[in-house]
Amino acid sequence: SNRYSAIGNDIDVIIPSKGRREYLLQVLEDLKRQTHLPRKVIVVEQNQDPKSVTDLPELNAAELPFKILHHFIHQTGACNARNIALKEVSADWIFFADDDNKMEKDLLENSLKEIKRLGADMLTFNYRQKNEKLTFDKVKQWG
């Protein structure tokens, strides 16, 4: 594309989570260290047991450099959780994260640079496991 994206740089992050407390807390640590901080992180924690309570009570009191919104629901499904979170988005861009992503500290900053460079409306990433080799290193444009 030869378009230049004139959209701003605010990012909200959506994270559905189901029973992976330690991983999610690590994702929040990675987001805390970003060179371009998200404005808001929306966590939708899921547990289908109607008697269950959150595994993440500290989220509402956590001192983070971004606003955190935490929803606890008794219905599972990542798509449903993302749809709930989408209602809370107000930023220019949305980063759909998983609750076990490992992020380099400049992931969000570099994502915005690539979006602007390509004139793209969205990007997708691959997350390699430790010691996994990159087998496809070209930009792919989806139809």
Side-chain angles (χ1 to χ4, degrees):
S1 172
N2 61 3
R3 297 180 305 155
Y4 174 78
S5 177
I7 298 173
N9 292 327
D10 287 338
I11 299 174
D12 285 347
V13 178
I14 291 176
I15 309 172
S17 186
K18 182 181 170 199
R20 300 201 298 187
R21 179 182 192 284
E22 295 307 315
Y23 291 106
L24 175 66
L25 294 175
Q26 182 57 57
V27 170
L28 293 175
E29 285 299 314
D30 287 353
L31 288 169
K32 237 168 68 169
R33 294 184 187 105
Q34 289 296 302
T35 55
H36 182 95
L37 290 169
R39 192 170 64 180
K40 183 178 359 177
V41 175
I42 308 155
V43 175
V44 181
E45 180 187 4
Q46 311 156 69
N47 187 325
Q48 68 187 45
D49 179 355
K51 295 177 183 162
S52 63
V53 295
T54 181
D55 287 335
L56 303 160
E58 69 271 46
L59 283 190
N60 293 328
E63 290 195 28
L64 299 166
F66 42 77
K67 183 176 182 179
I68 190 143
L69 298 176
H70 175 223
H71 296 275
F72 179 69
I73 62 172
H74 295 291
Q75 179 179 348
T76 58
C79 293
N80 178 62
R82 288 184 183 113
N83 285 335
I84 289 169
L86 280 169
K87 294 174 185 168
E88 305 281 356
V89 170
S90 57
D92 303 312
W93 298 98
I94 305 167
F95 183 81
F96 291 93
D98 288 333
D99 62 2
D100 63 347
N101 288 142
K102 287 294 296 164
M103 295 175 234
E104 297 293 326
K105 67 179 182 177
D106 55 358
L107 177 71
L108 296 181
E109 178 182 0
N110 288 339
S111 299
L112 288 171
K113 285 179 184 174
E114 272 304 282
I115 282 173
K116 304 284 183 180
R117 183 182 75 81
L118 296 169
D121 295 321
M122 66 164 291
L123 292 175
T124 57
F125 302 95
N126 61 11
Y127 286 92
R128 296 187 306 272
Q129 299 293 320
K130 190 175 183 174
N131 300 321
E132 183 179 3
K133 293 187 182 188
L134 183 64
T135 57
F136 186 79
D137 63 353
K138 295 178 178 48
V139 172
K140 175 175 176 53
Q141 181 173 343
W142 296 93

PDB file of all heavy atoms in Angstrom, residues 86-113:
ATOM      1  N   LEU A  86     -14.238  -5.583  23.660  1.00  0.00           N
ATOM      2  CA  LEU A  86     -14.338  -4.591  22.578  1.00  0.00           C
ATOM      3  C   LEU A  86     -15.263  -3.432  22.932  1.00  0.00           C
ATOM      4  O   LEU A  86     -15.057  -2.310  22.478  1.00  0.00           O
ATOM      5  CB  LEU A  86     -14.814  -5.260  21.285  1.00  0.00           C
ATOM      6  CG  LEU A  86     -13.754  -6.002  20.497  1.00  0.00           C
ATOM      7  CD1 LEU A  86     -14.384  -6.840  19.393  1.00  0.00           C
ATOM      8  CD2 LEU A  86     -12.727  -5.032  19.916  1.00  0.00           C
ATOM      9  N   LYS A  87     -16.241  -3.687  23.769  1.00  0.00           N
ATOM     10  CA  LYS A  87     -17.169  -2.624  24.193  1.00  0.00           C
ATOM     11  C   LYS A  87     -16.466  -1.562  25.030  1.00  0.00           C
ATOM     12  O   LYS A  87     -16.976  -0.458  25.196  1.00  0.00           O
ATOM     13  CB  LYS A  87     -18.334  -3.225  24.969  1.00  0.00           C
ATOM     14  CG  LYS A  87     -19.209  -4.117  24.113  1.00  0.00           C
ATOM     15  CD  LYS A  87     -20.266  -4.807  24.937  1.00  0.00           C
ATOM     16  CE  LYS A  87     -21.029  -5.778  24.052  1.00  0.00           C
ATOM     17  NZ  LYS A  87     -21.878  -6.682  24.820  1.00  0.00           N
ATOM     18  N   GLU A  88     -15.293  -1.893  25.574  1.00  0.00           N
ATOM     19  CA  GLU A  88     -14.540  -0.976  26.445  1.00  0.00           C
ATOM     20  C   GLU A  88     -13.446  -0.211  25.699  1.00  0.00           C
ATOM     21  O   GLU A  88     -12.805   0.657  26.264  1.00  0.00           O
ATOM     22  CB  GLU A  88     -13.879  -1.769  27.578  1.00  0.00           C
ATOM     23  CG  GLU A  88     -14.821  -2.601  28.398  1.00  0.00           C
ATOM     24  CD  GLU A  88     -15.580  -1.806  29.428  1.00  0.00           C
ATOM     25  OE1 GLU A  88     -15.333  -0.582  29.568  1.00  0.00           O
ATOM     26  OE2 GLU A  88     -16.428  -2.400  30.106  1.00  0.00           O
ATOM     27  N   VAL A  89     -13.212  -0.564  24.443  1.00  0.00           N
ATOM     28  CA  VAL A  89     -12.108   0.030  23.682  1.00  0.00           C
ATOM     29  C   VAL A  89     -12.436   1.462  23.285  1.00  0.00           C
ATOM     30  O   VAL A  89     -13.527   1.750  22.807  1.00  0.00           O
ATOM     31  CB  VAL A  89     -11.797  -0.819  22.428  1.00  0.00           C
ATOM     32  CG1 VAL A  89     -10.842  -0.100  21.497  1.00  0.00           C
ATOM     33  CG2 VAL A  89     -11.229  -2.167  22.835  1.00  0.00           C
ATOM     34  N   SER A  90     -11.457   2.336  23.481  1.00  0.00           N
ATOM     35  CA  SER A  90     -11.615   3.726  23.044  1.00  0.00           C
ATOM     36  C   SER A  90     -10.364   4.247  22.342  1.00  0.00           C
ATOM     37  O   SER A  90     -10.337   5.393  21.913  1.00  0.00           O
ATOM     38  CB  SER A  90     -11.952   4.618  24.248  1.00  0.00           C
ATOM     39  OG  SER A  90     -10.947   4.498  25.236  1.00  0.00           O
ATOM     40  N   ALA A  91      -9.346   3.415  22.202  1.00  0.00           N
ATOM     41  CA  ALA A  91      -8.084   3.840  21.591  1.00  0.00           C
ATOM     42  C   ALA A  91      -8.167   3.760  20.069  1.00  0.00           C
ATOM     43  O   ALA A  91      -9.113   3.222  19.495  1.00  0.00           O
ATOM     44  CB  ALA A  91      -6.942   2.956  22.093  1.00  0.00           C
ATOM     45  N   ASP A  92      -7.126   4.271  19.433  1.00  0.00           N
ATOM     46  CA  ASP A  92      -7.029   4.236  17.978  1.00  0.00           C
ATOM     47  C   ASP A  92      -6.788   2.820  17.466  1.00  0.00           C
ATOM     48  O   ASP A  92      -7.238   2.456  16.386  1.00  0.00           O
ATOM     49  CB  ASP A  92      -5.866   5.128  17.502  1.00  0.00           C
ATOM     50  CG  ASP A  92      -6.012   6.557  17.976  1.00  0.00           C
ATOM     51  OD1 ASP A  92      -7.114   7.126  17.822  1.00  0.00           O
ATOM     52  OD2 ASP A  92      -5.031   7.108  18.516  1.00  0.00           O
ATOM     53  N   TRP A  93      -6.042   2.031  18.241  1.00  0.00           N
ATOM     54  CA  TRP A  93      -5.649   0.686  17.842  1.00  0.00           C
ATOM     55  C   TRP A  93      -5.978  -0.301  18.952  1.00  0.00           C
ATOM     56  O   TRP A  93      -5.980   0.056  20.130  1.00  0.00           O
ATOM     57  CB  TRP A  93      -4.147   0.619  17.556  1.00  0.00           C
ATOM     58  CG  TRP A  93      -3.743   1.507  16.423  1.00  0.00           C
ATOM     59  CD1 TRP A  93      -3.205   2.760  16.520  1.00  0.00           C
ATOM     60  CD2 TRP A  93      -3.873   1.241  15.030  1.00  0.00           C
ATOM     61  NE1 TRP A  93      -2.984   3.270  15.271  1.00  0.00           N
ATOM     62  CE2 TRP A  93      -3.383   2.359  14.332  1.00  0.00           C
ATOM     63  CE3 TRP A  93      -4.344   0.148  14.300  1.00  0.00           C
ATOM     64  CZ2 TRP A  93      -3.363   2.422  12.945  1.00  0.00           C
ATOM     65  CZ3 TRP A  93      -4.318   0.216  12.914  1.00  0.00           C
ATOM     66  CH2 TRP A  93      -3.833   1.344  12.253  1.00  0.00           C
ATOM     67  N   ILE A  94      -6.210  -1.545  18.563  1.00  0.00           N
ATOM     68  CA  ILE A  94      -6.472  -2.627  19.519  1.00  0.00           C
ATOM     69  C   ILE A  94      -5.396  -3.681  19.317  1.00  0.00           C
ATOM     70  O   ILE A  94      -5.133  -4.111  18.195  1.00  0.00           O
ATOM     71  CB  ILE A  94      -7.846  -3.278  19.282  1.00  0.00           C
ATOM     72  CG1 ILE A  94      -8.957  -2.243  19.306  1.00  0.00           C
ATOM     73  CG2 ILE A  94      -8.090  -4.379  20.321  1.00  0.00           C
ATOM     74  CD1 ILE A  94     -10.278  -2.774  18.776  1.00  0.00           C
ATOM     75  N   PHE A  95      -4.804  -4.114  20.416  1.00  0.00           N
ATOM     76  CA  PHE A  95      -3.861  -5.233  20.387  1.00  0.00           C
ATOM     77  C   PHE A  95      -4.553  -6.401  21.053  1.00  0.00           C
ATOM     78  O   PHE A  95      -4.874  -6.353  22.230  1.00  0.00           O
ATOM     79  CB  PHE A  95      -2.571  -4.855  21.121  1.00  0.00           C
ATOM     80  CG  PHE A  95      -1.518  -5.921  21.070  1.00  0.00           C
ATOM     81  CD1 PHE A  95      -0.710  -6.055  19.956  1.00  0.00           C
ATOM     82  CD2 PHE A  95      -1.336  -6.787  22.129  1.00  0.00           C
ATOM     83  CE1 PHE A  95       0.262  -7.039  19.897  1.00  0.00           C
ATOM     84  CE2 PHE A  95      -0.372  -7.777  22.090  1.00  0.00           C
ATOM     85  CZ  PHE A  95       0.432  -7.906  20.968  1.00  0.00           C
ATOM     86  N   PHE A  96      -4.815  -7.455  20.280  1.00  0.00           N
ATOM     87  CA  PHE A  96      -5.430  -8.665  20.803  1.00  0.00           C
ATOM     88  C   PHE A  96      -4.313  -9.570  21.305  1.00  0.00           C
ATOM     89  O   PHE A  96      -3.560 -10.125  20.504  1.00  0.00           O
ATOM     90  CB  PHE A  96      -6.227  -9.390  19.715  1.00  0.00           C
ATOM     91  CG  PHE A  96      -7.473  -8.661  19.284  1.00  0.00           C
ATOM     92  CD1 PHE A  96      -7.454  -7.799  18.207  1.00  0.00           C
ATOM     93  CD2 PHE A  96      -8.675  -8.857  19.961  1.00  0.00           C
ATOM     94  CE1 PHE A  96      -8.600  -7.133  17.800  1.00  0.00           C
ATOM     95  CE2 PHE A  96      -9.822  -8.198  19.561  1.00  0.00           C
ATOM     96  CZ  PHE A  96      -9.788  -7.330  18.480  1.00  0.00           C
ATOM     97  N   ALA A  97      -4.204  -9.714  22.607  1.00  0.00           N
ATOM     98  CA  ALA A  97      -3.147 -10.535  23.200  1.00  0.00           C
ATOM     99  C   ALA A  97      -3.748 -11.824  23.742  1.00  0.00           C
ATOM    100  O   ALA A  97      -4.942 -11.898  24.031  1.00  0.00           O
ATOM    101  CB  ALA A  97      -2.448  -9.770  24.322  1.00  0.00           C
ATOM    102  N   ASP A  98      -2.905 -12.816  23.879  1.00  0.00           N
ATOM    103  CA  ASP A  98      -3.270 -14.028  24.608  1.00  0.00           C
ATOM    104  C   ASP A  98      -2.680 -13.903  26.005  1.00  0.00           C
ATOM    105  O   ASP A  98      -1.738 -13.144  26.228  1.00  0.00           O
ATOM    106  CB  ASP A  98      -2.728 -15.278  23.914  1.00  0.00           C
ATOM    107  CG  ASP A  98      -3.470 -15.589  22.627  1.00  0.00           C
ATOM    108  OD1 ASP A  98      -4.652 -15.207  22.508  1.00  0.00           O
ATOM    109  OD2 ASP A  98      -2.870 -16.215  21.737  1.00  0.00           O
ATOM    110  N   ASP A  99      -3.195 -14.689  26.930  1.00  0.00           N
ATOM    111  CA  ASP A  99      -2.729 -14.572  28.312  1.00  0.00           C
ATOM    112  C   ASP A  99      -1.396 -15.263  28.556  1.00  0.00           C
ATOM    113  O   ASP A  99      -0.917 -15.307  29.680  1.00  0.00           O
ATOM    114  CB  ASP A  99      -3.792 -15.063  29.296  1.00  0.00           C
ATOM    115  CG  ASP A  99      -4.147 -16.531  29.123  1.00  0.00           C
ATOM    116  OD1 ASP A  99      -3.544 -17.214  28.266  1.00  0.00           O
ATOM    117  OD2 ASP A  99      -5.043 -17.001  29.842  1.00  0.00           O
ATOM    118  N   ASP A 100      -0.768 -15.760  27.485  1.00  0.00           N
ATOM    119  CA  ASP A 100       0.549 -16.377  27.646  1.00  0.00           C
ATOM    120  C   ASP A 100       1.580 -15.836  26.659  1.00  0.00           C
ATOM    121  O   ASP A 100       2.617 -16.443  26.444  1.00  0.00           O
ATOM    122  CB  ASP A 100       0.447 -17.902  27.522  1.00  0.00           C
ATOM    123  CG  ASP A 100      -0.020 -18.365  26.147  1.00  0.00           C
ATOM    124  OD1 ASP A 100      -0.497 -17.532  25.350  1.00  0.00           O
ATOM    125  OD2 ASP A 100       0.086 -19.569  25.871  1.00  0.00           O
ATOM    126  N   ASN A 101       1.292 -14.680  26.042  1.00  0.00           N
ATOM    127  CA  ASN A 101       2.261 -14.069  25.128  1.00  0.00           C
ATOM    128  C   ASN A 101       3.509 -13.623  25.877  1.00  0.00           C
ATOM    129  O   ASN A 101       3.423 -13.158  27.012  1.00  0.00           O
ATOM    130  CB  ASN A 101       1.669 -12.834  24.438  1.00  0.00           C
ATOM    131  CG  ASN A 101       0.627 -13.144  23.394  1.00  0.00           C
ATOM    132  OD1 ASN A 101      -0.333 -12.420  23.280  1.00  0.00           O
ATOM    133  ND2 ASN A 101       0.798 -14.195  22.632  1.00  0.00           N
ATOM    134  N   LYS A 102       4.647 -13.757  25.244  1.00  0.00           N
ATOM    135  CA  LYS A 102       5.902 -13.161  25.727  1.00  0.00           C
ATOM    136  C   LYS A 102       6.232 -12.062  24.733  1.00  0.00           C
ATOM    137  O   LYS A 102       6.306 -12.310  23.536  1.00  0.00           O
ATOM    138  CB  LYS A 102       7.023 -14.194  25.766  1.00  0.00           C
ATOM    139  CG  LYS A 102       6.907 -15.216  26.874  1.00  0.00           C
ATOM    140  CD  LYS A 102       7.054 -14.625  28.255  1.00  0.00           C
ATOM    141  CE  LYS A 102       8.431 -14.050  28.473  1.00  0.00           C
ATOM    142  NZ  LYS A 102       8.525 -13.152  29.609  1.00  0.00           N
ATOM    143  N   MET A 103       6.400 -10.852  25.230  1.00  0.00           N
ATOM    144  CA  MET A 103       6.589  -9.703  24.346  1.00  0.00           C
ATOM    145  C   MET A 103       7.918  -9.013  24.589  1.00  0.00           C
ATOM    146  O   MET A 103       8.261  -8.740  25.742  1.00  0.00           O
ATOM    147  CB  MET A 103       5.468  -8.692  24.572  1.00  0.00           C
ATOM    148  CG  MET A 103       4.110  -9.186  24.206  1.00  0.00           C
ATOM    149  SD  MET A 103       2.873  -7.970  24.658  1.00  0.00           S
ATOM    150  CE  MET A 103       1.807  -8.994  25.652  1.00  0.00           C
ATOM    151  N   GLU A 104       8.601  -8.724  23.515  1.00  0.00           N
ATOM    152  CA  GLU A 104       9.776  -7.870  23.605  1.00  0.00           C
ATOM    153  C   GLU A 104       9.307  -6.482  24.021  1.00  0.00           C
ATOM    154  O   GLU A 104       8.166  -6.089  23.743  1.00  0.00           O
ATOM    155  CB  GLU A 104      10.501  -7.812  22.261  1.00  0.00           C
ATOM    156  CG  GLU A 104      11.040  -9.147  21.785  1.00  0.00           C
ATOM    157  CD  GLU A 104      12.158  -9.670  22.656  1.00  0.00           C
ATOM    158  OE1 GLU A 104      12.937  -8.849  23.179  1.00  0.00           O
ATOM    159  OE2 GLU A 104      12.242 -10.898  22.817  1.00  0.00           O
ATOM    160  N   LYS A 105      10.181  -5.714  24.640  1.00  0.00           N
ATOM    161  CA  LYS A 105       9.777  -4.421  25.205  1.00  0.00           C
ATOM    162  C   LYS A 105       9.368  -3.383  24.164  1.00  0.00           C
ATOM    163  O   LYS A 105       8.705  -2.408  24.484  1.00  0.00           O
ATOM    164  CB  LYS A 105      10.886  -3.858  26.087  1.00  0.00           C
ATOM    165  CG  LYS A 105      12.121  -3.472  25.319  1.00  0.00           C
ATOM    166  CD  LYS A 105      13.172  -2.899  26.218  1.00  0.00           C
ATOM    167  CE  LYS A 105      14.360  -2.507  25.353  1.00  0.00           C
ATOM    168  NZ  LYS A 105      15.411  -1.886  26.045  1.00  0.00           N
ATOM    169  N   ASP A 106       9.746  -3.601  22.908  1.00  0.00           N
ATOM    170  CA  ASP A 106       9.411  -2.630  21.860  1.00  0.00           C
ATOM    171  C   ASP A 106       8.356  -3.154  20.884  1.00  0.00           C
ATOM    172  O   ASP A 106       8.191  -2.615  19.796  1.00  0.00           O
ATOM    173  CB  ASP A 106      10.665  -2.206  21.108  1.00  0.00           C
ATOM    174  CG  ASP A 106      11.435  -3.379  20.531  1.00  0.00           C
ATOM    175  OD1 ASP A 106      11.039  -4.537  20.729  1.00  0.00           O
ATOM    176  OD2 ASP A 106      12.464  -3.131  19.871  1.00  0.00           O
ATOM    177  N   LEU A 107       7.625  -4.200  21.277  1.00  0.00           N
ATOM    178  CA  LEU A 107       6.635  -4.795  20.376  1.00  0.00           C
ATOM    179  C   LEU A 107       5.567  -3.793  19.947  1.00  0.00           C
ATOM    180  O   LEU A 107       5.285  -3.649  18.754  1.00  0.00           O
ATOM    181  CB  LEU A 107       5.973  -6.014  21.024  1.00  0.00           C
ATOM    182  CG  LEU A 107       4.869  -6.650  20.172  1.00  0.00           C
ATOM    183  CD1 LEU A 107       5.454  -7.356  18.975  1.00  0.00           C
ATOM    184  CD2 LEU A 107       4.022  -7.586  20.993  1.00  0.00           C
ATOM    185  N   LEU A 108       4.955  -3.093  20.881  1.00  0.00           N
ATOM    186  CA  LEU A 108       3.889  -2.159  20.520  1.00  0.00           C
ATOM    187  C   LEU A 108       4.430  -0.990  19.703  1.00  0.00           C
ATOM    188  O   LEU A 108       3.823  -0.576  18.708  1.00  0.00           O
ATOM    189  CB  LEU A 108       3.162  -1.665  21.772  1.00  0.00           C
ATOM    190  CG  LEU A 108       2.406  -2.737  22.569  1.00  0.00           C
ATOM    191  CD1 LEU A 108       1.721  -2.115  23.772  1.00  0.00           C
ATOM    192  CD2 LEU A 108       1.423  -3.490  21.707  1.00  0.00           C
ATOM    193  N   GLU A 109       5.589  -0.470  20.088  1.00  0.00           N
ATOM    194  CA  GLU A 109       6.202   0.635  19.339  1.00  0.00           C
ATOM    195  C   GLU A 109       6.510   0.203  17.907  1.00  0.00           C
ATOM    196  O   GLU A 109       6.177   0.907  16.950  1.00  0.00           O
ATOM    197  CB  GLU A 109       7.488   1.082  20.034  1.00  0.00           C
ATOM    198  CG  GLU A 109       8.207   2.190  19.306  1.00  0.00           C
ATOM    199  CD  GLU A 109       9.504   2.591  19.994  1.00  0.00           C
ATOM    200  OE1 GLU A 109       9.866   2.017  21.040  1.00  0.00           O
ATOM    201  OE2 GLU A 109      10.160   3.505  19.466  1.00  0.00           O
ATOM    202  N   ASN A 110       7.124  -0.955  17.745  1.00  0.00           N
ATOM    203  CA  ASN A 110       7.467  -1.438  16.413  1.00  0.00           C
ATOM    204  C   ASN A 110       6.227  -1.783  15.595  1.00  0.00           C
ATOM    205  O   ASN A 110       6.224  -1.617  14.371  1.00  0.00           O
ATOM    206  CB  ASN A 110       8.407  -2.633  16.493  1.00  0.00           C
ATOM    207  CG  ASN A 110       9.800  -2.224  16.923  1.00  0.00           C
ATOM    208  OD1 ASN A 110      10.195  -1.068  16.799  1.00  0.00           O
ATOM    209  ND2 ASN A 110      10.544  -3.170  17.465  1.00  0.00           N
ATOM    210  N   SER A 111       5.186  -2.229  16.262  1.00  0.00           N
ATOM    211  CA  SER A 111       3.928  -2.519  15.563  1.00  0.00           C
ATOM    212  C   SER A 111       3.361  -1.253  14.939  1.00  0.00           C
ATOM    213  O   SER A 111       2.947  -1.249  13.777  1.00  0.00           O
ATOM    214  CB  SER A 111       2.904  -3.109  16.532  1.00  0.00           C
ATOM    215  OG  SER A 111       3.360  -4.307  17.067  1.00  0.00           O
ATOM    216  N   LEU A 112       3.343  -0.185  15.708  1.00  0.00           N
ATOM    217  CA  LEU A 112       2.847   1.082  15.180  1.00  0.00           C
ATOM    218  C   LEU A 112       3.707   1.580  14.026  1.00  0.00           C
ATOM    219  O   LEU A 112       3.186   2.083  13.022  1.00  0.00           O
ATOM    220  CB  LEU A 112       2.783   2.130  16.287  1.00  0.00           C
ATOM    221  CG  LEU A 112       1.678   1.932  17.307  1.00  0.00           C
ATOM    222  CD1 LEU A 112       1.842   2.893  18.469  1.00  0.00           C
ATOM    223  CD2 LEU A 112       0.308   2.103  16.668  1.00  0.00           C
ATOM    224  N   LYS A 113       5.009   1.433  14.148  1.00  0.00           N
ATOM    225  CA  LYS A 113       5.911   1.847  13.054  1.00  0.00           C
ATOM    226  C   LYS A 113       5.617   1.061  11.781  1.00  0.00           C
ATOM    227  O   LYS A 113       5.581   1.634  10.693  1.00  0.00           O
ATOM    228  CB  LYS A 113       7.370   1.654  13.472  1.00  0.00           C
ATOM    229  CG  LYS A 113       7.863   2.683  14.447  1.00  0.00           C
ATOM    230  CD  LYS A 113       9.314   2.409  14.826  1.00  0.00           C
ATOM    231  CE  LYS A 113       9.798   3.390  15.880  1.00  0.00           C
ATOM    232  NZ  LYS A 113      11.140   3.067  16.352  1.00  0.00           N
TER     233      LYS A 113
END
